[in-house]
């Protein structure tokens, strides 16, 4: 649903659509130092920055919400205000969320199925995504929802700062 096949005679990383992309979150190049530097001039919300493919590729809405919760970072925080220690936690949690999602077969939303007809089961592990008004699994505070960058964002007002 989100793919394309393009022919390019040169090196793939030099294709005009690919040369400005950030690193894959599971690659060694995605470090706390890299993330801190990438966020240092960004005035947007941290959640918006994480979903920007120029910063890091492959962190979509669901995984950004879940990683920010796990790292204890409010999604509305200005990206350039995230500390080096918070960047370290965020890198760890982004990787953790993605690994858990892969192990669970991903997330199935309404009409998506894998090529074998099976749905993913990661949505059963969500801590915040889609849980507006439900009790936070850590502290019991109701999960809040806010639109950030034209996307629904879910967070715990108590656990995330």
């Amino acid at each position: 649903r989100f793919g394309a096949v393009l022919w390019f005679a040169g090196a793939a990383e030099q294709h005009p659509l690919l040369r400005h992309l950030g690193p894959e979150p599971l690659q060694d190049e995605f470090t706390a130092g890299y993330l801190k530097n990438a966020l240092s001039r960004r005035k947007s919300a941290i959640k918006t920055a994480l979903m920007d493919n120029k910063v890091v590729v492959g962190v979509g809405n669901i995984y950004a919400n879940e990683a920010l919760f796990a790292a204890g970072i409010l999604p509305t925080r200005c990206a350039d205000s995230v500390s080096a220690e918070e960047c370290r936690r965020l890198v760890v949690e982004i990787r953790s969320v993605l690994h858990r999602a892969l192990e669970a077969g991903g997330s199935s939303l309404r009409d998506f199925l894998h090529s074998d007809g099976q749905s993913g089961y990661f949505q059963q592990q969500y801590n915040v995504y889609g849980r507006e008004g439900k009790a936070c699994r850590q502290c019991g505070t109701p999960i809040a929802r806010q639109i950030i960058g034209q996307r629904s964002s879910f967070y715990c007002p108590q656990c995330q700062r």
Side-chain angles (χ1 to χ4, degrees):
R1 165 164 33 188
F2 296 113
V5 176
L6 306 169
W7 175 258
F8 183 68
E13 61 273 1
Q14 294 307 312
H15 188 283
L17 295 175
L18 302 177
R19 73 174 134 218
H20 300 292
L21 294 178
E24 294 273 349
L26 301 179
Q27 289 181 326
D28 292 340
E29 293 81 14
F30 185 62
T31 65
Y34 163 81
L35 186 59
K36 178 68 176 156
N37 185 55
L39 299 178
S40 67
R41 296 169 302 282
R42 294 188 169 262
K43 300 295 182 193
S44 65
I46 181 62
K47 181 176 172 244
T48 303
L50 290 178
M51 292 176 57
D52 182 341
N53 286 329
K54 291 177 181 152
V55 173
V56 58
V57 297
V59 180
N61 192 35
I62 292 170
Y63 304 125
N65 278 284
E66 293 296 316
L68 286 165
F69 172 77
I73 300 170
L74 194 64
T76 56
R77 282 259 312 272
C78 189
D80 70 357
S81 76
V82 178
S83 72
E85 172 56 26
E86 288 171 320
C87 283
R88 186 197 64 73
R89 282 199 325 259
L90 201 45
V91 167
V92 167
E93 296 303 344
I94 287 170
R95 288 180 173 155
S96 174
V97 165
L98 291 174
H99 280 298
R100 287 186 290 121
L102 287 168
E103 288 172 9
S107 299
S108 290
L109 300 174
R110 290 185 299 273
D111 60 350
F112 176 80
L113 297 175
H114 293 279
S115 59
D116 64 0
Q118 297 294 311
S119 59
Y121 294 99
F122 186 62
Q123 67 273 11
Q124 295 172 356
Q125 300 176 35
Y126 293 164
N127 285 304
V128 289
Y129 186 81
R131 298 191 67 241
E132 178 182 13
K134 294 181 180 171
C136 173
R137 297 177 199 262
Q138 286 185 23
C139 73
T141 300
I143 298 298
R145 176 182 171 270
Q146 181 176 346
I147 302 296
I148 302 171
Q150 300 176 338
R151 303 297 300 268
S152 287
S153 301
F154 301 89
Y155 61 94
C156 174
Q158 181 64 38
C159 295
Q160 293 173 258
R161 303 283 173 176

